[in-house]
Amino acid sequence: MSKNKKKPTILIVYTGGTIGMVKDYKTGALKAFDFSQISSKIPELQQLHCEISTISFEEPIDSSNMNVNYYVDIAQIIADNYDKFDGFVVLTGSDTMSYTSSAISFMFENLQKPVIFTGSQLPIGDLRTDAKENLITSIQVASTYKKGKPVVQEVGLYFEYKLYRANRTTKINAEQFEAFASMNYPPLAISGVHLNFDYPVLLKTSKEKEDKQLIFRKKLDNNVAILKLFPGITASVVESFINIPNLKGIILETYGSGNAPTEKWFINLIEKAISKGIHIVNVTQCAGGSVILGHYETSSDLKRIGIIDGKDITTETAVAKMMYLLGEKLSKKEFKHYFETSLRGEIN
């Protein structure tokens, strides 16, 4: 926030989703909420010490239709307005919010301002909606400064009283207001009577990066697939995956701490895929915990043939990170190195 400003300026970017719906009480139908009228519709916002502007997609996008082109659209709006605003709140559908927000976290290098994703389980006009609290607190988070600098300098996801690192989240419930969880990393903040930040777990901009400009990476490559192992999986299923035309990466969801079948056909097919130049990342199917390659005999062969260790990364973030790194045209060695390295706080 510049010294000349009395109030932080916040840009709300509405892309679609449940939060942007209001009920027409005459017909009972849901219609799109006009976010340009947000202050008059939600007068509580006037109590926040900030100035709010809004940009909405011309056509709201249902979260099920979210794709990499929309990721670029969202990031482009933020990049174009980065110097004009002190913080950003992005409203999207919750079903794919972890995927979208994780992708945005990789698309921005040297991010030094808050980008907070939120949404709701019920429309903003519903009597029992969770939309107002999620939106109000997200704006408060995005406008919180300490010693002239934003407290949050990363991409976050706020839902039901908790702020998470976006690329650590998974949607765990389709019906409860507490829809998201971050199994391997603590919340960045908890909202109760007070908004309490856990300062030690927040990403911090190093002194040498403070003067560096925002870098916008938008060359995402979505030639990726997720292969989830299950008892009884056949060679033809695995083979069909590695023979997908133009496939460049596979997220392999394994058991427990990274375990997979030791049968020769399986190891040979995975090794064949790697030799073809397909990047394969090992992530666990478990909600929490980490891949530990070589910990058991059932993951030793995977380690030997050069599979990438996903550690404690979520599947959603593994997809986003793979798309990002594929777009950077890295060598096989570089790709493995950067995937196994924490770039935006996504892995321990």
Side-chain angles (χ1 to χ4, degrees), residues 9-202:
T9 54
I10 304 298
L11 179 64
I12 296 174
V13 182
Y14 173 63
T15 71
T18 300
I19 194 169
M21 297 288 109
V22 289
K23 184 178 287 186
D24 185 327
Y25 289 101
K26 291 183 179 179
T27 65
L30 292 175
K31 59 182 181 180
F33 178 74
D34 182 1
F35 276 90
S36 66
Q37 305 295 316
I38 190 168
S39 292
S40 60
K41 297 290 184 181
I42 308 177
E44 296 95 325
L45 292 176
Q46 296 171 27
Q47 297 180 47
L48 295 174
H49 187 72
C50 59
E51 295 177 3
I52 299 169
S53 299
T54 62
I55 292 179
S56 297
F57 276 19
E58 287 186 18
E59 292 186 16
I61 305 301
D62 188 279
S63 58
S64 298
N65 292 321
M66 190 60 72
N67 60 44
V68 293
N69 294 324
Y70 294 127
Y71 295 170
V72 175
D73 290 342
I74 294 167
Q76 189 70 61
I77 291 171
I78 295 169
D80 290 344
N81 291 279
Y82 189 74
D83 294 331
K84 303 173 189 174
F85 291 89
D86 298 305
F88 302 86
V89 173
V90 184
L91 309 179
T92 69
S94 62
D95 285 351
T96 55
M97 190 181 292
S98 289
Y99 290 95
T100 305
S101 56
S102 294
I104 299 299
S105 77
F106 292 110
M107 294 171 77
F108 289 127
E109 192 174 330
N110 302 328
L111 182 68
Q112 296 177 44
K113 294 181 180 180
V115 177
I116 310 301
F117 278 75
T118 195
S120 65
Q121 295 285 66
L122 288 174
I124 202 165
D126 196 278
L127 182 64
R128 297 178 53 254
T129 187
D130 54 330
K132 284 188 178 182
E133 196 282 322
N134 286 346
L135 178 59
I136 290 167
T137 307
S138 293
I139 295 170
Q140 187 178 1
V141 166
S143 60
T144 300
Y145 272 65
K146 190 175 182 180
K147 295 181 180 178
K149 294 180 181 180
V151 169
V152 177
Q153 300 182 32
E154 58 181 289
V155 181
L157 188 156
Y158 181 83
F159 229 88
E160 191 64 9
Y161 306 118
K162 290 181 181 178
L163 173 69
Y164 304 105
R165 177 164 299 154
N167 58 34
R168 290 286 193 154
T169 61
T170 297
K171 186 172 182 182
I172 59 165
N173 203 304
E175 294 188 355
Q176 301 297 320
F177 287 146
E178 195 170 349
F180 289 86
S182 173
M183 303 301 293
N184 292 324
Y185 202 75
L188 307 183
I190 296 177
S191 174
V193 175
H194 302 287
L195 180 58
N196 293 312
F197 291 93
D198 188 349
Y199 290 94
V201 305
L202 292 165

Side-chain angles (χ1 to χ4, degrees), residues 13 43 71 140 181 217 266 302 314 316:
V13 182
Y71 295 170
Q140 187 178 1
R217 311 275 190 183
F266 179 80
L302 296 179
T314 65
E316 295 91 332

